Amino acid sequence: MSTVIVVTSGKGGVGKTTTSAAFATGLALRGHQTVVIDFDVGLRNLDLIMGCERRVVYDFVNVINGEGTLNQAIIKDKRVDSLFILPASQTRDKEALTLKGVYRVIEALKKRFEYIVCDSPAGIEHGAIMAMYFADEALIVTNPEVSSVRDSDRIIGLLSSKTHRAAQNLDPVKEHLLITRYAQKRVTKGDMLSAQDIQDILAIPLLGIIPESKSVLQASNSGVPVTLDKASDAGQAYLEVVARFLGEEVSNSQKKGFLSHWFGKK
């Protein structure tokens, strides 16, 4: 059985694409057949972060329009056997995504993959709705700042009202909070919201906290998902997020500093 996961947040620049790449890679590293789809039509970036931009021939919109097959568009990652990428188009606009077209593609992917990760564009318009519409679960990515948290709250509202599950009165999309670019020193100084502040506002389960780290930018610029950087604290944090998502226990020895405060308790 396949699970469709949307990585979403109303605000741009919070780390959705970085998270999509890192999370999908983490699932694939565990041996799960995983595909990650770039829904950001017109502003394609996932292929850059995944390091496969030169291998893009056909894209998501080509498949929807019948201009290419899914097999032609899907790119197999050269580093992780179970990982595949479906890139977005750079030359179309987001209106090229239709519910029927997205449904057909996702249903076809379900026959091949355990996890389908949907990298949502910023905002709350058409592209973001398309990315979340068929989701079973959602990673809501937010930075520890008021505007980011407010936009995430709006996304939570859309997940409960503008999805296939809501339309069909099915169980709601399962929501997970992921806080990125978190710096405990700045929290202590009062320069950014604490994880507890964010949880109190959004009231959804916390899946993980990704520390602010230069390695994230370095990995993105190198076209390598940060979960493949064994020396990266952010990369390790993403791997722990994947473990928690899969229902695994993360031992205390794997956690350092402020993370143990949040995930050391049962």
Side-chain angles (χ1 to χ4, degrees):
M1 187 172 176
S2 295
T3 302
V4 180
I5 306 157
V6 64
V7 179
T8 184
S9 176
K11 188 171 167 44
V14 300
K16 285 186 296 293
T17 301
T18 294
T19 295
S20 296
F23 186 73
T25 301
L27 289 170
L29 285 170
R30 297 298 189 96
H32 297 286
Q33 290 291 319
T34 304
V35 61
V36 54
I37 309 173
D38 190 349
F39 273 80
D40 202 356
V41 175
L43 293 172
R44 186 174 78 201
N45 282 314
L46 179 66
D47 57 311
L48 290 171
I49 289 178
M50 300 292 287
C52 63
E53 69 277 8
R54 295 182 181 179
R55 299 169 60 201
V56 177
V57 179
Y58 293 93
D59 58 53
F60 192 11
V61 174
N62 290 143
V63 177
I64 287 175
N65 291 342
E67 300 159 348
T69 67
L70 201 51
N71 284 339
Q72 289 173 318
I74 288 177
I75 300 169
K76 187 179 189 299
D77 190 86
K78 292 183 176 180
R79 298 154 299 205
V80 185
D81 284 341
S82 303
L83 181 61
F84 295 78
I85 302 97
L86 180 55
S89 170
Q90 271 188 312
T91 58
R92 313 289 179 93
D93 61 37
K94 292 176 177 60
E95 299 302 320
L97 298 178
T98 63
L99 276 182
K100 286 184 178 179
V102 172
Y103 174 78
R104 285 198 308 269
V105 172
I106 287 181
E107 286 302 303
L109 291 171
K110 283 181 177 180
K111 296 175 183 177
R112 296 177 53 182
F113 296 98
E114 293 175 73
Y115 291 103
I116 300 165
V117 179
C118 302
D119 179 26
S120 175
I124 57 172
E125 304 304 329
H126 184 75
I129 297 298
M130 291 297 102
M132 72 170 64
Y133 193 81
F134 296 104
D136 300 306
E137 305 199 32
L139 300 190
I140 296 151
V141 182
T142 189
N143 292 159
E145 57 182 65
V146 173
S147 61
S148 179
V149 174
R150 182 177 63 182
D151 288 349
S152 293
D153 192 43
R154 181 72 189 278
I155 288 293
I156 291 168
L158 292 177
L159 285 166
S160 65
S161 62
K162 298 291 186 181
T163 62
H164 175 73
R165 285 180 169 272
Q168 299 298 318
N169 291 316
L170 301 173
D171 290 340
V173 175
K174 187 176 181 180
E175 298 162 342
H176 308 272
L177 174 62
L178 184 65
I179 303 171
T180 56
R181 301 183 65 183
Y182 196 83
Q184 184 60 40
K185 288 183 179 178
R186 294 180 63 192
V187 171
T188 302
K189 290 180 181 178
D191 294 338
M192 63 171 52
L193 296 174
S194 70
Q196 187 64 61
D197 291 334
I198 297 168
Q199 275 193 290
D200 289 345
I201 295 167
L202 298 181
I204 60 173
L206 178 63
L207 184 65
I209 301 171
I210 310 301
E212 194 166 34
S213 174
K214 292 179 181 178
S215 64
V216 172
L217 180 59
Q218 292 166 350
S220 296
N221 288 337
S222 302
V224 179
V226 71
T227 32
L228 294 178
D229 181 356
K230 294 181 180 179
S232 167
D233 53 350
Q236 291 305 304
Y238 272 117
L239 289 175
E240 292 182 7
V241 164
V242 170
R244 290 189 200 97
F245 180 84
L246 294 173
E248 299 173 10
E249 242 182 69
V250 179
S251 66
N252 287 332
S253 62
Q254 289 177 269
K255 300 186 284 292
K256 296 179 181 179
F258 71 91
L259 289 179
S260 60
H261 171 71
W262 294 104
F263 302 109
K265 303 181 210 175
K266 296 295 175 190

